[in-house]
Amino acid sequence: MAYNVVKRLDIVLIGAGNLATNLGKELYKKGYKISQVYSRTESSARQLANILSSAYTTSLDELANTADLYIVSLKDSAFIDLVPAITHGREKALFVHTAGSIPLEIWHQSPIARYGVLYPMQTFSKECEVEFKNIPFFIEAGRKEDLYFLKDLAGELSTHVYEINSEQRKHLHLAAVFACNFTNHMYALAATIVDQYQLPFEILLPLIEETVRKVHYLGPQMAQTGPAVRYDQNVINNHLELLKNDSIMQEIYEKLSKSIYQMKLKEQ
Amino acid sequence: MAYNVVKRLDIVLIGAGNLATNLGKELYKKGYKISQVYSRTESSARQLANILSSAYTTSLDELANTADLYIVSLKDSAFIDLVPAITHGREKALFVHTAGSIPLEIWHQSPIARYGVLYPMQTFSKECEVEFKNIPFFIEAGRKEDLYFLKDLAGELSTHVYEINSEQRKHLHLAAVFACNFTNHMYALAATIVDQYQLPFEILLPLIEETVRKVHYLGPQMAQTGPAVRYDQNVINNHLELLKNDSIMQEIYEKLSKSIYQMKLKEQ
């Protein structure tokens, strides 16, 4: 994308959560102009606007009308309700949302002709800066020109840009919940166990790192180890006994062990 | 440990699975002499013995009697049954097992006086070499001298050696199942989802890597993201709908999402 195009582009961010914050900061770093940030929560709007040297508002009535690109990063349920209000009177602009879970067709609920999706598949926290160039971006658009534009824009941020449809993206997002959110929860559950025995969580880090390293070489099915895959009923029963005072963890342990063993049987 | 002590030490490996293979190879690399490998499965015994330039047997009747150190790495249930047979007539030797889940007291079922535990907490696959120096080793022994010896031995392999009791180790092993085995299964479930939509598993790797990187900075509770922790019922319901033809994955999704949200409520 030519430098002058970048400089001229007027972007509004709708949402100031984890994803909006990280994406906004990266766009700003690359020289893009974010003219306004909208969030219902004033502290979030102000905080992000400060970082991006932009204006902010907590009222949709004050949402800028003249931006070229509106990037919408809202909680899914809020977003669906707000589509008419945020698009109305801005029919010339390009609207994109950043959600893995929401189809392109969401924009059909509005009169706009230029719309798309810009989904960076990553786990974003406000407290943690992330290297954008390795993040896979998944794009989709109603019109070819806008697709090319999004390809260029995403290509400025990352070296991994893919065009996929809404059906694929929806399942990719589901896979991401398993690979990231649920994985992180496994770490959190492990942390609660070691905490109770005065062992630091850090003691688990070499194991966690090796688990990730291995999956690169072997893939997840070959890499599976532990009592469930060897069907070591003795260890499994002892572990279930250790968890007897925590019915949620006990059920999780049981379900996951069964699922591991069933997957192994299917492979054979 | 002085070089001549290392050279004189005569080690027998009982077991030729993933852990025994990796530990045996590392000991061999450091100059230790493994004189014999026992495994019920001939191909496993032969394969490991070849690598370690040692003898092998598939019969406990042929187990060497004169070794200084017997390292037992068997599936838990098999091990418990074999304790009398492997220790009988070898009362002067030091016996250690490598299992996180088995208490030191297992050795009380035998007449031996020198026994201990040498538990390297790591996920081992025969196909994957692992850097031993970062692996935490957890040791325990019946006698002080043997504890010092195990500290030296483990210290030759790793820079992280900890003395913990059987109760702590049992829970640590449980935590390791969550942090490693269940985590890897999350990757495997994610892989089955993307496979169905002609997307390569590799597309998930940057997300998986970032999830691990973040846990180092933020710890697992702060690092949690995704629909469950924000209680985005809309996304959760859509995901459950996508999983309607796989009742196991659907149950796992539901249980883990509830557990994530409940953990968040407890923190507040």
Side-chain angles (χ1 to χ4, degrees), chain A residues 11-24 27 48 69-76 79-80 83 86 94-104 106-107 115-124 132 135-140 150 153-154 157 164 166 169-170 172-173 176, chain B residues 230 232 235:
Chain A
I11 303 175
V12 166
L13 274 184
I14 301 180
N18 292 332
L19 196 157
T21 297
N22 278 276
L23 184 60
L27 287 167
L48 182 54
L69 174 65
Y70 291 82
I71 301 178
V72 186
S73 295
L74 297 169
K75 194 169 150 168
D76 288 20
F79 173 41
I80 294 162
V83 169
I86 59 180
L94 171 61
F95 280 82
V96 298
H97 76 71
T98 59
S101 48
I102 298 179
L104 183 70
I106 188 80
W107 296 116
Y115 51 83
V117 182
L118 179 75
Y119 169 49
M121 189 173 67
Q122 193 47 284
T123 166
F124 295 108
F132 263 71
I135 298 178
F137 272 75
F138 299 93
I139 57 165
E140 199 180 359
L150 289 178
L153 182 70
L157 307 177
I164 60 171
S166 293
R169 192 176 61 255
K170 191 162 78 172
L172 191 59
H173 182 246
Chain B
R230 336 182 267 273
D232 198 330
V235 178

Side-chain angles (χ1 to χ4, degrees), chain A:
Chain A
M1 194 178 294
Y3 185 63
N4 57 346
V5 178
V6 170
K7 295 295 279 186
R8 282 207 314 257
L9 200 66
D10 180 351
I11 303 175
V12 166
L13 274 184
I14 301 180
N18 292 332
L19 196 157
T21 297
N22 278 276
L23 184 60
K25 281 164 80 174
E26 188 68 14
L27 287 167
Y28 183 70
K29 212 163 79 182
K30 295 275 187 211
Y32 289 88
K33 182 191 160 199
I34 318 288
S35 59
Q36 191 187 39
V37 173
Y38 161 84
S39 169
R40 217 173 44 174
T41 314
E42 205 204 330
S43 59
S44 302
R46 191 179 55 236
Q47 205 175 8
L48 182 54
N50 276 345
I51 297 169
L52 307 179
S53 310
S54 74
Y56 72 89
T57 179
T58 59
S59 158
L60 283 179
D61 295 338
E62 293 172 8
L63 193 66
N65 286 314
T66 54
D68 304 300
L69 174 65
Y70 291 82
I71 301 178
V72 186
S73 295
L74 297 169
K75 194 169 150 168
D76 288 20
S77 49
F79 173 41
I80 294 162
D81 295 339
L82 294 180
V83 169
I86 59 180
T87 53
H88 182 73
R90 298 172 190 91
E91 281 79 9
K92 286 186 179 163
L94 171 61
F95 280 82
V96 298
H97 76 71
T98 59
S101 48
I102 298 179
L104 183 70
E105 289 69 38
I106 188 80
W107 296 116
H108 295 177
Q109 295 179 32
S110 78
I112 55 167
R114 299 183 55 211
Y115 51 83
V117 182
L118 179 75
Y119 169 49
M121 189 173 67
Q122 193 47 284
T123 166
F124 295 108
S125 293
K126 287 184 186 176
E127 304 81 3
C128 218
E129 267 201 35
V130 45
E131 188 85 66
F132 263 71
K133 74 174 194 300
N134 299 322
I135 298 178
F137 272 75
F138 299 93
I139 57 165
E140 199 180 359
R143 302 208 292 200
K144 270 244 149 62
E145 315 86 271
D146 294 327
L147 190 69
Y148 296 147
F149 169 80
L150 289 178
K151 202 171 219 164
D152 281 348
L153 182 70
E156 291 278 313
L157 307 177
S158 166
T159 51
H160 303 281
V161 183
Y162 307 90
E163 193 196 331
I164 60 171
N165 63 37
S166 293
E167 188 67 10
Q168 287 177 304
R169 192 176 61 255
K170 191 162 78 172
H171 286 87
L172 191 59
H173 182 246
L174 174 63
V177 169
F178 279 88
C180 165
N181 307 148
F182 290 170
T183 286
N184 185 74
H185 189 53
M186 294 301 116
Y187 303 156
L189 294 176
T192 65
I193 299 170
V194 293
D195 273 2
Q196 287 167 32
Y197 287 82
Q198 289 75 52
L199 295 161
F201 175 69
E202 286 67 29
I203 224 165
L204 292 164
L205 289 174
L207 179 63
I208 286 171
E209 286 159 15
E210 177 65 10
T211 307
V212 172
R213 196 184 69 88
K214 266 175 77 173
V215 87
H216 286 74
Y217 289 76
L218 301 178
Q221 273 144 347
M222 275 279 287
Q224 189 66 55
T225 58
V229 76
R230 334 183 268 275
Y231 200 66
D232 198 330
Q233 194 68 52
N234 199 47
V235 178
I236 294 171
N237 288 340
N238 287 340
H239 283 171
L240 290 173
E241 173 68 19
L242 294 181
L243 294 169
K244 65 171 186 267
N245 294 323
D246 189 326
S247 62
I248 297 176
M249 278 184 81
Q250 203 181 43
E251 277 178 61
I252 289 173
Y253 188 101
E254 199 164 13
K255 287 244 172 300
L256 294 183
S257 293
K258 275 188 190 156
S259 178
I260 288 171
Y261 192 62
Q262 281 174 359
M263 189 177 275
K264 192 202 170 183
L265 291 182
K266 269 189 211 159
E267 277 163 57
Q268 285 170 340

